[in-house]
Amino acid sequence: SVTAFRFYDRAAVVAHKQGKAAEAEKFSSIAMEVADSTGNDGLREQSFKRYLELNPKGPKRFLARYQIAYLAYKRKQFDNAVHEFK
């Protein structure tokens, strides 16, 4: 649900601000999963971008970048999609 996404997204931001990288990665990963389950492409894209913002070297960074590129492709924003796939 959107409420669950907002909860985990906020928890990730707070953990990041507190210097708790492992918790920030965990919460932002959960936020991505929750957003993905909603089927809302806007929410999904927001979650993938937030993951990359907080975890630029995180273990799911390639998945997040791929999903952002795929969403751009779906919107026929091919230049953006190519940039993200690189």
Side-chain angles (χ1 to χ4, degrees), residues 48-76:
F48 301 137
K49 287 182 175 180
R50 175 78 79 197
Y51 182 88
L52 292 172
E53 174 190 337
L54 302 180
N55 310 285
K57 295 183 179 181
K60 295 185 179 180
R61 68 186 181 275
F62 297 115
L63 171 65
R65 288 193 67 207
Y66 173 84
Q67 292 296 337
I68 292 168
Y70 177 72
L71 291 171
Y73 175 82
K74 270 180 67 174
R75 291 190 303 266
K76 299 187 186 312

Side-chain angles (χ1 to χ4, degrees), residues 1-2 4-5 8-9 25-40 43-44 46-48 51 60 63-64 67:
S1 77
V2 175
F5 165 74
Y8 287 110
D9 183 61
E25 198 283 325
K26 178 175 123 182
F27 290 133
S28 57
S29 289
I30 295 170
M32 284 196 310
E33 291 174 18
V34 170
D36 200 37
S37 73
T38 68
N40 179 322
L43 203 60
R44 292 175 65 226
Q46 181 182 345
S47 74
F48 301 137
Y51 182 88
K60 295 185 179 180
L63 171 65
Q67 292 296 337

